[in-house]
Amino acid sequence: MNVLAPATWRNLTAYIPLLAYILFACAIALIGYQGFRKIENLIQVEKLRDLGAIADMKVEQIVTWRERHRQRAKTFSSGSLLAAEFKLWLEKGKPSDEQEQKILRLLTGLQPIHGYATASLLDRQGMLRITTGNSNTLDEAEVKLALEAMNGRQPIFSDIDKNGIGSQMASLSLAAPLVDAHDKNSQVVGAIVLQIDPYDFLYPLIQSWPGESHSAETLLIRQEGDEVVFINELRHQKGTALSLRIPLSTPDLPAAMAIHGARSTMNGIDYRGVPVVAAMRQVPDSAWFMIAKVDRDEIFAPISQLKRWAASLGLASAAFGGLFFFVWLRGVQVRQKLLKAEHDAALEREMRIRHFEFLTRYANDIILVSDETGRIVDANVRAVETYGYTREELLRMRIPDICSAAGDHAAHGGQVKKILESVELRFEDIHMGKDGRRFPVEVSARVIEVQNIRYIQVIIRDLSERKQLEEMRAKMEHAGRLNIAGEMASGMAHELSQPLTACNNYLEVCLRRMEEETWDREKLRSTLQLASIQAERAGKIINHLKDMVRKQGHERALIDVNLLAREVMSLLEDEIKRLGISIYMTLSPLPPVMACRVEIEQVLLNLYKNAIEAMHSWPQRELRVSSALTESGKVLIAVSDSGKGILPSEMENLFNPFHTTKKDGLGLGLVICRSIVENHGGQIWVTAKREFGAEFCFTLPVEVRHE
Ligand code: ADP
């Protein structure tokens, strides 16, 4: 089962070339290694063959050299002049005469010709009789060798040994019997012992190397007990002839291996502890072994150089490859990132398009898209539902066809031009469906650009429902006002009774004064004026009621609220005096406010009257009116009293209709006040004073909106 996500797989596949490169590099390295191993083996085999040939050659040369000496020695055994002379001299009793000198000359003559160090003659008993050497005696071993030669009637070689006790010089001896040729029994008359200097021929022969080499050498070795003895001088260690001894058990020592019967080794370790390749041979008729060896380093030097080159090349290629792949991978990663970003962006675009298509298709509004000529290129579901045309029919129409269905075609054709010019346009219009139904619409059109082509996107809202709702609300409001007016009628009776009673009282006073014989014309006029003011006030209240019932609002004009506050207060002058209320008016300069004078008067009068009534049964009677301009630029009027105050439980119902605590109250005054203030775009609220009394505040905007 594939448990990796596709994206993970995609990321991993990017690494396949890298993996291939690593595998390829490993394969090359392995092949190179194997190749080098093979070449090394070939070189080793070749070298061993050379070494073997050299060892064979040297062995042969030693054998030849020995044989030559042996043959030469044989000449002394087969009736030589020397043997005859020596026999005579011995028979004469070994006198120190001319004959002895002759024999000595013969011996001395032999030395330079054959390279003998000394030549000595021994009698049949092994006694030294004549010698070219400095000593009057011979080594025991040499005497023994001479006796052996005489007994065996054959020339015999000694081994190479130190030349005498304490001597560092090596030598070997050749002993040959001296046979009297004239004797019919071939009698042995004595022996000749010839000391051979190995430094003269043998060692140079061993040490010479055919060809150029800085490490190759041939060695002559023999076994002595548990040790290997190096017979000749070594190339890499001086003064070693017959001195250097190494245990036979030393592992990988070619000399020890030779004694054990081996003929070659590729992994020998020589007397210096250096790895060597060696060929070993036994020298026939002797205890000697010839070893030809060369350092492994030397034979592999050319290939080592090649190896270093190959390794450097390999490392350089790996580094270059690594760098290349690093750069390549970075590229791949950047490409992947870009692709992912593109993919994500495409997905998001796709999602947005789908989302937009969905919104457009199922939007609550009609959405039409047209080209610059007004031809419809797209229409949503709502358009089809509202106009009653099929989508295909709509796509064959132009925007003016739909709009002009209900009006002037030319005018609507001009609208397309207008939209194109002004980019965005909003207006209300009447459209008509396929069935002839006309309906009000709000059109919002704007120019959009897609790939440098301009389109007109038209969003059309069917206002039929909204208009119906508005009409219904207006009707309900009208009905509500009628209702309130009805409710208010009884309240108005109460409101009107006061100015009418006052008016009636003033008129009665006038009538009474006119019945008097003399009446003051001026007093009568002022009383009548008072009656007129009260009548006018009553008229205003009635007019206002009429306005409330009519749904239109009062005419608005710029009014001075401070002046109005004072005027309304003057209407209540009598009552204020009667109840002994102190009035404090703190009015700040205010800008004129666009408002309905009668309505604001009504608000003020209501607030003043409530305040006065709240103080009826209260000993301290203070009515304060203040005005100010708020920071937000509204006019603020505050009416506060020192009356009974408002209970917290009352607070929330205060502005609800019919909430009253008065015996004859209607509970409509504050409702009307709020309606008026809010209708002017202001607010009204109450704050209960901490100790006693209440404070009613309302604001009016200077720039009044017409709600
Ligand atoms: P009404 O005056 O007919 O009762 P309002 O709507 O004008 O109707 O007032 C409603 C109630 O609010 C009053 O009955 C009264 O209890 C309370 N009220 C109004 N103004 C004050 C005030 N200044 N102090 C205390 N109570 C008040």
Side-chain angles (χ1 to χ4, degrees):
M1 190 178 73
N2 179 13
V3 290
L4 287 175
T8 317
W9 267 119
R10 225 183 8 256
N11 287 344
L12 284 181
T13 50
Y15 289 92
I16 286 176
L18 178 63
L19 203 69
Y21 174 76
I22 291 170
L23 286 177
F24 177 71
C26 287
I28 292 285
L30 198 70
I31 290 168
Y33 176 74
Q34 292 292 353
F36 276 114
R37 290 280 303 179
K38 209 160 188 127
I39 292 170
E40 275 181 356
N41 267 336
L42 287 174
I43 288 175
Q44 280 185 139
V45 168
E46 183 72 16
K47 204 68 199 173
L48 267 183
R49 213 170 27 236
D50 288 353
L51 290 171
I54 289 168
D56 285 339
M57 182 187 79
K58 296 254 170 158
V59 165
E60 207 176 303
Q61 283 174 339
I62 289 171
V63 168
T64 310
W65 173 79
R66 278 165 63 104
E67 195 51 37
R68 209 171 53 233
H69 276 289
R70 195 179 278 115
Q71 289 303 327
R72 199 170 297 128
K74 270 189 177 170
T75 59
F76 298 117
S77 312
S78 51
S80 70
L81 174 66
L82 185 66
E85 290 287 336
F86 184 56
K87 187 190 171 191
L88 268 176
W89 183 74
L90 283 176
E91 283 171 354
K92 278 202 302 189
K94 306 172 286 270
S96 299
D97 58 359
E98 180 54 27
Q99 199 172 5
E100 186 187 17
Q101 289 305 314
K102 189 182 171 189
I103 295 167
L104 200 58
R105 273 198 304 277
L106 276 172
L107 289 178
T108 313
L110 285 173
Q111 275 182 260
I113 301 167
H114 302 299
Y116 299 134
T118 60
S120 306
L121 294 178
L122 285 81
D123 62 15
R124 192 65 186 87
Q125 284 72 39
M127 294 295 289
L128 177 66
R129 294 305 175 185
I130 298 173
T131 180
T132 61
N134 298 329
S135 174
N136 289 331
T137 55
L138 280 182
D139 272 354
E140 209 176 305
E142 285 179 317
V143 173
K144 211 172 147 198
L145 186 77
L147 288 171
E148 258 181 63
M150 284 187 280
N151 293 337
R153 302 176 71 89
Q154 286 292 327
I156 307 174
F157 270 103
S158 76
D159 209 330
I160 297 177
D161 269 312
K162 291 277 173 63
N163 188 6
I165 299 157
S167 170
Q168 289 304 311
M169 295 302 288
S171 70
L172 84 161
S173 302
L174 173 63
L178 294 173
V179 178
D180 181 9
H182 304 291
D183 185 60
K184 59 177 190 317
N185 295 326
S186 300
Q187 194 192 349
V188 173
V189 291
I192 183 167
V193 175
L194 299 160
Q195 264 191 353
I196 300 167
D197 183 0
Y199 293 93
D200 184 46
F201 177 79
L202 186 63
Y203 283 180
L205 167 77
I206 297 166
Q207 283 162 358
S208 70
W209 187 264
E212 281 284 304
S213 169
H214 65 265
S215 70
E217 67 178 323
T218 35
L219 317 168
L220 205 58
I221 59 108
R222 70 167 181 250
Q223 181 182 2
E224 264 183 41
D226 291 340
E227 290 176 330
V228 174
V229 177
F230 290 78
I231 296 170
N232 62 305
E233 275 296 321
L234 301 175
R235 182 173 185 175
H236 305 290
Q237 218 168 308
K238 294 300 153 201
T240 46
L242 300 171
S243 301
L244 183 63
R245 288 162 180 272
I246 296 178
L248 197 58
S249 55
T250 308
D252 300 327
L253 184 73
M257 293 167 82
I259 291 167
H260 289 130
R263 281 176 63 83
S264 66
T265 177
M266 289 193 184
N267 301 303
I269 306 286
D270 78 352
Y271 54 87
R272 296 165 297 157
V274 173
V276 291
V277 173
M280 296 81 93
R281 299 287 187 270
Q282 187 167 15
V283 179
D285 299 328
S286 76
W288 299 347
F289 291 88
M290 172 62 66
I291 294 159
K293 68 171 184 64
V294 64
D295 290 1
R296 284 177 70 86
D297 278 354
E298 185 183 324
I299 64 165
F300 294 134
I303 200 170
S304 297
Q305 180 69 14
L306 202 64
K307 259 176 165 176
R308 274 194 293 277
W309 272 97
S312 308
L313 200 70
L315 279 176
S317 327
F320 178 74
L323 190 74
F324 171 79
F325 269 103
F326 176 74
V327 172
W328 176 79
L329 261 182
R330 291 288 304 166
V332 167
Q333 281 169 351
V334 167
R335 247 192 338 272
Q336 275 183 350
K337 246 186 192 165
L338 281 175
L339 279 175
K340 189 175 176 324
E342 268 175 30
H343 180 251
D344 288 352
L347 265 183
E348 199 182 317
R349 235 182 358 256
E350 172 82 14
M351 190 270 286
R352 281 189 185 177
I353 288 170
R354 286 200 185 168
H355 184 63
F356 178 73
E357 269 179 8
F358 181 84
L359 282 182
T360 310
R361 193 157 289 274
Y362 301 104
N364 225 10
D365 291 333
I366 298 157
I367 300 176
L368 300 172
V369 179
S370 83
D371 60 16
E372 279 186 279
T373 66
R375 192 179 59 80
I376 297 171
V377 293
D378 197 12
N380 70 346
V381 172
R382 185 75 172 171
V384 172
E385 286 170 359
T386 310
Y387 291 108
Y389 295 104
T390 63
R391 195 174 135 79
E392 289 65 35
E393 283 173 329
L394 281 171
L395 296 187
R396 283 195 295 272
M397 296 169 79
R398 296 177 66 248
I399 295 273
D401 298 337
I402 285 180
C403 307
S404 63
D408 180 9
H409 191 283
H412 285 100
Q415 266 172 6
V416 172
K417 210 175 149 212
K418 233 191 214 168
I419 294 164
L420 287 171
E421 280 166 6
S422 52
V423 182
E424 191 169 357
L425 208 61
R426 286 170 86 100
F427 54 90
E428 288 197 3
D429 204 351
I430 303 287
H431 282 192
M432 191 166 80
K434 192 178 180 182
D435 58 1
R437 179 181 71 91
R438 286 162 189 269
F439 51 93
V441 290
E442 183 188 74
V443 181
S444 168
R446 77 172 6 247
V447 178
I448 53 171
E449 215 174 282
V450 181
Q451 289 172 348
N452 293 331
I453 300 172
R454 299 214 302 164
Y455 293 93
I456 300 171
Q457 187 192 54
V458 189
I459 299 174
I460 300 162
R461 179 162 293 180
D462 183 352
L463 296 181
S464 323
E465 233 169 70
R466 198 169 87 187
K467 291 271 181 211
Q468 275 173 9
L469 273 175
E470 273 176 8
E471 272 172 27
M472 202 183 286
R473 199 172 67 206
K475 278 179 190 164
M476 278 171 74
E477 266 179 26
H478 187 201
R481 279 201 183 88
L482 279 175
N483 197 20
I484 290 171
E487 301 277 3
M488 280 174 67
S490 57
M492 280 300 159
H494 167 69
E495 296 285 331
L496 284 171
S497 68
Q498 194 251 339
L500 288 176
T501 313
C503 181
N504 190 37
N505 288 343
Y506 289 133
L507 290 174
E508 275 180 9
V509 170
C510 287
L511 283 173
R512 269 202 307 278
R513 281 191 182 153
M514 284 174 78
E515 279 168 12
E516 288 169 9
E517 280 176 14
T518 56
W519 42 278
D520 186 343
R521 190 182 161 83
E522 192 44 42
K523 270 187 183 172
L524 192 66
R525 199 187 64 77
S526 69
T527 311
L528 277 173
Q529 200 169 17
L530 285 171
S532 161
I533 289 169
Q534 292 302 329
E536 203 177 312
R537 165 91 198 116
K540 275 180 185 173
I541 290 168
I542 288 164
N543 278 342
H544 180 60
L545 184 65
K546 270 170 27 190
D547 285 343
M548 284 285 289
V549 177
R550 259 191 267 128
K551 60 188 174 179
Q552 289 86 4
H554 285 281
E555 287 254 328
R556 292 186 182 184
L558 286 173
I559 55 162
D560 180 347
V561 181
N562 284 340
L563 186 67
L564 212 62
R566 280 203 187 88
E567 278 179 7
V568 175
M569 189 63 83
S570 69
L571 294 175
L572 301 167
E573 217 171 290
D574 283 351
E575 199 170 357
I576 287 166
K577 269 189 196 154
R578 189 164 44 84
L579 293 170
I581 297 170
S582 310
I583 306 290
Y584 301 95
M585 298 198 92
T586 321
L587 306 174
S588 308
L590 298 173
V593 172
M594 180 65 78
C596 171
R597 187 188 171 86
V598 182
E599 283 181 353
I600 304 303
E601 265 179 13
Q602 198 178 339
V603 172
L604 286 166
L605 188 69
N606 214 339
L607 296 182
Y608 290 170
K609 290 200 71 167
N610 277 347
I612 291 166
E613 280 170 25
M615 294 187 287
H616 262 195
S617 49
W618 223 245
Q620 193 183 346
R621 293 171 184 174
E622 286 173 5
L623 176 59
R624 293 171 190 276
V625 181
S626 66
S627 69
L629 193 65
T630 64
E631 277 180 14
S632 55
K634 287 185 174 177
V635 165
L636 170 78
I637 309 292
V639 179
S640 70
D641 61 72
S642 54
K644 65 180 176 76
I646 299 158
L647 293 171
S649 55
E650 257 186 282
M651 279 295 209
E652 60 188 47
N653 296 321
L654 221 53
F655 290 93
N656 287 343
F658 312 119
H659 168 78
T660 180
T661 55
K662 296 172 197 167
K663 206 171 132 217
D664 305 320
L666 286 171
L668 285 172
L670 289 177
V671 179
I672 292 166
C673 286
R674 187 171 68 178
S675 159
I676 291 168
V677 170
E678 286 179 358
N679 204 27
H680 279 76
Q683 280 175 309
I684 185 165
W685 67 95
V686 63
T687 43
K689 283 183 150 181
R690 207 174 291 165
E691 292 148 18
F692 47 79
E695 183 178 62
F696 283 82
C697 302
F698 68 94
T699 57
L700 290 173
V702 177
E703 290 283 324
V704 178
R705 288 181 291 122
H706 187 83
E707 294 292 316

